[in-house]
Amino acid sequence: MSPVAVILDGYVDEPACLGVPPYVSPYIRTVAGALLAHGYSVEYLTIDQLRLAPMRTVELNRADLLVMIAGVTVPGKYLGGTPATLTEIQQVGHMVRGPKKLIGGPIGFGYAAGGGQKAIRQVISGFDALLTGEPAIALDNYLGGNEPAGPLDYARTDPWSIAGSPIIAQHPDYPFVMCELETARGCAHGATGGCSFCTEPFYGQPRYRGIAAIAAEVTALYASGARHFRVGRQPDILAYGAGAGEYPAPRPDLLEDLFSSIRTAAPGLKTLHIDNTNPATIARHEDAAREALRAIIRHHTPGDVAAFGMETADPAVIAVNNLKAQPDEVFRAIEIVNEEGGMRWDNVPKLLPGLNFVCGLAGETVRTYELNEQFLLRVRDAGLSVRRVNIRQVMPFEGTPVYTNNTLGQNEQRFKAFKEFVRNTIDLPMLQRVYPIGTVLRDVRVEVSGALSFGRQLGSYPILVGLPLDLPRNTVTDAVVVDWGMRSITALPAPVRINSLPASAMRWLPGIGKKKVAAVIAKWPFRDLEAYRKVAGSSAIDPVISFDIS
Ligand code: SF4
């Protein structure tokens, strides 16, 4: 019988890699492949599964090897899962006694409980070894009797990524898993030290994965049932395969090859999205960037987001922290992505920018927040769309300049006011612009059930959808937008079966509200739209109302 190895997924979140459900990080798949290459039978468990059923520790005790992957270097809020805390990691180390225990991933850079707190490098007690460097390579070295360490080497990890693909079928969310695809590691801007807060320069200058290897991995994932992909494990998708220099020009030909190869490898895929995009690449190489965006847009799926790490609109903070883009460059990049990606397809914009702000950087003052707000108002008032504005406080890691030079704790009130400003003044009008009433969102998957259920589409930064109905988890439904929250929308399953809709959900119908619910019920069942309009008037959701009696 083969020895058994369990991969315990404590989830990762890095500037250029997400592995919190429904995302599955590349680390999990390459580690699985490396274990298979050493003759292990591989099982997979998430930290959430262990929280729900602590008795599963018994299974872990019976295994021959435990490999935990964990670490968050950018703080986030998650719906699909909660990353392992340091306490939980140490509990696993101490409570699991049977197997050899290894741990790897960005946890090696340090741990903080959340944004605004310094990440401290930890001695993680209870584990036999910390896998330093690339987890799968460090693991392979360890199992070969060498030091549990080693840098990334695609020649070694590419075959493992293929062999380890079937592991996704063990994910509790399967088949609703989003496979984070790696195309590059390391940042070109790191040549001048990188942005003061970022851990990506720890990986050195960019190394690009070959298109054939990426496509072969997608073929294997697709054969294992994957239908949702995000080309997200890289600091700047537009720099894929680009030449030397701190801000290399995009290679649209390579992006065309990359995205068309993924499409060929997964012909029935449902989601193909991107993530990080350096706005300076777009602003400095406008023509090549437009061509590159068009190549992506030819092959991706709609509702996509190009996340811009803007961090601040204050030139003084940009200078002190060696940030990559000036506010005018970011503004120009927002314009260009709107022009190239703003058209609607399947009801939603094909590709929009997202904006990330980081607070607590060195040199930040009250004036910084004023400049941030002015910048966002300029975007809003220019009629441009931004899919989402993400604001966080920096989590300083040892080895980054911000570790010893930051302004955390100095502008707390202004930070809170800025968040409030964005929620009220930017987020709401942007949601109204991107998702007007009557927009039908395809394939919203319910993740949290209740009187008000919550779901999302699988994608890059999908909007949170509140459905005022008790729907079972993993229900997949089209949903029509009926209202907006600050950072979410309210929607009803589409088509809206008006003659069987619970009264509690009816109040969300445009033209009805709380007051008219009784009037609607008194006229039930409605024969047709004309009859319904006599009570509710007309609205943007009329085309998706169904008058079935059943
Ligand atoms: S450009 Fe800055 S934030 Fe982006 S990956 Fe490079 S160092 Fe990190």
Side-chain angles (χ1 to χ4, degrees):
M1 256 194 18
S2 314
V4 173
V6 178
I7 300 174
L8 178 59
D9 194 348
Y11 312 142
V12 299
D13 192 356
E14 297 178 84
C17 183
L18 180 59
V20 182
Y23 281 76
V24 183
S25 73
Y27 300 125
I28 298 299
R29 287 136 39 201
T30 48
V31 162
L35 288 167
L36 288 167
H38 281 272
Y40 283 92
S41 148
V42 185
E43 294 174 9
Y44 173 82
L45 191 70
T46 68
I47 189 69
D48 282 310
Q49 286 176 300
L50 193 58
R51 283 186 193 115
L52 280 173
M55 288 307 290
R56 295 191 73 168
T57 311
V58 175
E59 283 170 45
L60 300 180
N61 275 325
R62 282 201 291 261
D64 299 284
L65 182 65
L66 171 71
V67 183
M68 185 166 192
I69 299 295
V72 169
T73 63
V74 281
K77 288 209 171 87
Y78 313 98
L79 182 67
T82 306
T85 64
L86 183 63
T87 307
E88 288 174 324
I89 292 169
Q90 286 174 334
Q91 278 171 347
V92 168
H94 289 291
M95 286 167 61
V96 178
R97 291 172 184 274
K100 281 270 182 210
K101 289 161 287 179
L102 312 173
I103 184 162
I107 188 73
F109 294 144
Y111 177 85
Q117 298 173 43
K118 267 190 176 178
I120 310 294
R121 268 207 184 115
Q122 307 285 339
V123 176
I124 300 166
S125 57
F127 283 80
D128 295 283
L130 173 68
L131 300 171
T132 308
E134 179 61 17
I137 287 183
L139 171 69
D140 182 54
N141 290 347
Y142 177 82
L143 294 175
N146 301 305
E147 283 298 304
L152 174 67
D153 176 358
Y154 287 135
R156 288 172 70 185
T157 54
D158 281 343
W160 296 332
S161 73
I162 294 168
S165 291
I167 199 77
I168 62 164
Q170 293 189 43
H171 195 286
D173 287 345
Y174 181 85
F176 306 109
V177 289
M178 177 68 106
C179 296
E180 182 86 312
L181 295 176
E182 172 154 1
T183 64
R185 193 83 66 95
C187 176
H189 183 48
T192 57
C195 304
S196 68
F197 62 91
C198 183
T199 52
E200 190 67 13
F202 291 169
Y203 293 112
Q205 278 296 290
R207 275 157 299 166
Y208 301 105
R209 237 183 127 194
I211 291 173
I214 297 164
E217 184 190 8
V218 172
T219 301
L221 286 165
Y222 189 73
S224 295
R227 295 294 179 268
H228 307 277
F229 301 90
R230 184 172 83 161
V231 188
R233 209 290 169 241
Q234 71 283 311
D236 179 10
I237 185 60
L238 294 187
Y240 177 73
E246 201 179 342
Y247 300 100
R251 288 278 310 270
D253 55 328
L254 292 181
L255 285 162
E256 171 65 34
D257 272 5
L258 174 65
F259 280 82
S260 62
S261 298
I262 293 172
R263 272 289 184 166
T264 304
L269 64 75
K270 292 187 172 160
T271 311
L272 178 56
H273 279 181
I274 61 168
D275 183 22
N276 296 310
T277 310
N278 186 341
T281 304
I282 300 177
R284 289 172 184 231
H285 307 285
E286 182 172 327
D287 292 344
R290 282 185 188 274
E291 282 303 317
L293 289 166
R294 285 173 200 157
I296 293 168
I297 289 167
R298 267 195 291 280
H299 301 290
H300 79 159
T301 55
D304 201 356
V305 180
F308 290 170
M310 176 177 191
E311 333 309 358
T312 179
D314 184 344
V317 177
I318 291 169
V320 175
N321 294 278
N322 192 36
L323 303 182
K324 55 197 164 289
Q326 295 295 327
D328 282 347
E329 291 180 313
V330 179
F331 190 86
R332 184 71 191 126
I334 293 171
E335 286 181 319
I336 290 168
V337 172
N338 269 258
E339 285 164 20
E340 297 297 336
M343 74 291 263
R344 285 182 186 264
W345 196 269
D346 218 359
N347 308 320
V348 291
K350 287 214 84 181
L351 174 69
L352 288 180
L355 285 183
N356 298 334
F357 283 85
V358 175
C359 300
L361 295 174
E364 178 189 287
T365 60
V366 168
R367 173 81 182 137
T368 304
Y369 290 95
E370 287 165 12
L371 291 169
N372 290 348
E373 291 173 0
Q374 284 168 17
F375 180 88
L376 288 169
L377 287 172
R378 183 180 165 207
V379 172
R380 185 196 72 179
D381 296 343
L384 296 165
S385 293
V386 170
R387 167 53 204 95
R388 67 106 169 78
V389 179
N390 184 35
I391 303 164
R392 62 186 171 89
Q393 282 181 305
V394 68
M395 184 192 266
F397 277 77
E398 208 176 319
T400 61
V402 82
Y403 193 73
T404 48
N405 190 11
N406 62 65
T407 53
L408 285 172
Q410 293 179 24
N411 298 303
E412 287 295 312
Q413 288 311 316
R414 196 60 186 84
F415 169 70
K416 285 189 187 131
F418 174 51
K419 279 176 74 165
E420 203 54 33
F421 167 88
V422 173
R423 302 292 162 257
N424 295 321
T425 315
I426 306 297
D427 284 346
L428 186 58
M430 285 297 173
L431 281 186
Q432 291 169 336
R433 198 171 279 175
V434 176
Y435 303 107
I437 302 286
T439 304
V440 176
L441 301 177
R442 303 281 174 220
D443 295 336
V444 174
R445 172 191 163 231
V446 173
E447 294 181 57
V448 179
S449 295
L452 177 61
S453 300
F454 287 99
R456 294 179 298 179
Q457 296 172 296
L458 270 99
S460 216
Y461 309 101
I463 184 69
L464 182 62
V465 181
L467 297 140
L469 292 164
D470 194 349
L471 299 170
R473 183 175 152 79
N474 285 335
T475 301
V476 177
T477 179
D478 291 350
V480 60
V481 177
V482 293
D483 200 4
W484 310 276
M486 293 301 171
R487 305 207 79 197
S488 63
I489 54 175
T490 305
L492 292 170
V496 178
R497 295 181 190 284
I498 194 73
N499 289 322
S500 55
L501 194 66
S504 56
M506 204 169 279
R507 59 168 282 230
W508 293 101
L509 288 164
I512 300 291
K514 274 185 197 162
K515 284 186 189 155
K516 279 198 192 167
V517 170
V520 171
I521 292 171
K523 299 280 182 189
W524 257 354
F526 295 97
R527 240 187 10 262
D528 53 25
L529 189 57
E530 200 184 324
Y532 174 70
R533 277 183 174 161
K534 281 187 183 148
V535 179
S538 57
S539 83
I541 75 157
D542 287 356
V544 292
I545 296 179
S546 156
F547 295 91
D548 288 356
I549 302 290
S550 60

